[in-house]
Amino acid sequence: MPVYKYFTDEGHAHAFLRHGAMLLRPLSHFRNLEADGVRGDGGDRVLTYAPAGGLQVTRSDGTEVVLADTAFVASARSGDIFVWCASDRLSADIAAGFRSPFCVEVLDPDGLVGRLRARATPKSRLDYVGAIARSVTYHLAERPPIVDWALPDRVAFNKPASFAWQNEFRIAVGRWGAFDVENVVCSLVEGNAAPDGRGDAGDDGFVVRVGGLGDMARLHTF
C-alpha cells in the first residue's frame, strides 16, 4: 500500500523525489509545538488512561482507592526517538488541513524503509536496522492501556483520537535501546497538568538522504 508525504514547500517535495531527503524529527519536537490540532500535539509520545469514573489504583498496603480527575500517563523517551511522518491516504482535505498543496506518493514504502535501514554502520548513533514503520493508532483516554504502556514503540505510534483525520503513517528510528521494553516514564497526572517531561531533551532533527526515488514515487498537487 502506498503512503503519502505532504509538503508545504514545493522545493522540499522535489528534494524528497530527487534525493530521498527525509527530515527525521524527535517526538519532543511535535510535543513542544503549539498544540494546534495539526502538527503540534501536546499528547504526542504519551499514552493516557483517564476513565470517566476516576482512576482506580491499589496502594502498597493492598487497599484500593479511586482518584478523581487523574490520569495514568506512560511517556516514551521522546528525545531518543526520531520520526518521519506521512499519511495512508491521498486527500485534498488532508492537504488543506496541513496547508500543504504538494504531496509525494511513495509506491513502495517497504523499499523506502529498506534504504533507511541500509544506512546502519557500527558507529551509527541511531539503530537504523531497528527502524519501525506502520500506521499510527488513535485512542480515547477511556481505553485501558493493557500492556501498551510498557512498549515504547506502541507509545510512539499512539495519538489522541482527535488526530485521526490525518491517517498518519510513521517511520521511527531510535537511539540504541530507545525501544526496549519498559523504557518509558510513568506518572499520575492531575487535571490538565502536563505529563512528565523527562526524556524530552534532544536535537531538533536532521535530514538523511536515501537516494532518488525514481519510479518508487510520484508528485501530486492540490
Side-chain angles (χ1 to χ4, degrees), residues 69-152:
D69 199 26
T70 301
F72 168 79
V73 176
S75 307
R77 305 283 182 174
S78 58
D80 292 338
I81 298 173
F82 296 80
V83 297
W84 179 84
C85 303
S87 176
D88 286 329
R89 190 159 61 95
L90 180 65
S91 164
D93 289 340
I94 293 178
F98 281 122
R99 298 182 290 278
S100 300
F102 309 100
C103 178
V104 175
E105 178 181 5
V106 180
L107 301 169
D108 181 13
D110 289 340
L112 183 65
V113 175
R115 290 193 188 186
L116 192 62
R117 288 173 176 159
R119 292 180 55 84
T121 71
K123 295 183 178 180
S124 297
R125 68 181 178 124
L126 300 182
D127 180 12
Y128 285 105
V129 172
I132 300 170
R134 62 170 178 261
S135 299
V136 166
T137 298
Y138 300 96
H139 80 287
L140 296 172
E142 295 83 4
R143 189 188 74 186
I146 312 178
V147 299
D148 288 358
W149 67 268
L151 305 173

Side-chain angles (χ1 to χ4, degrees), residues 26-38:
L27 286 176
S28 54
H29 169 83
F30 303 100
R31 174 169 169 72
N32 293 333
L33 285 176
E34 181 181 352
D36 57 2
V38 183

Side-chain angles (χ1 to χ4, degrees), residues 2 38 56-58 63 74 97 103 108 112 122 138 167 172 179 185 209 213:
V38 183
Q56 184 172 325
V57 299
T58 303
T63 60
C103 178
D108 181 13
L112 183 65
Y138 300 96
N167 286 90
F179 292 120
V185 177
R209 293 173 175 82
L213 301 184

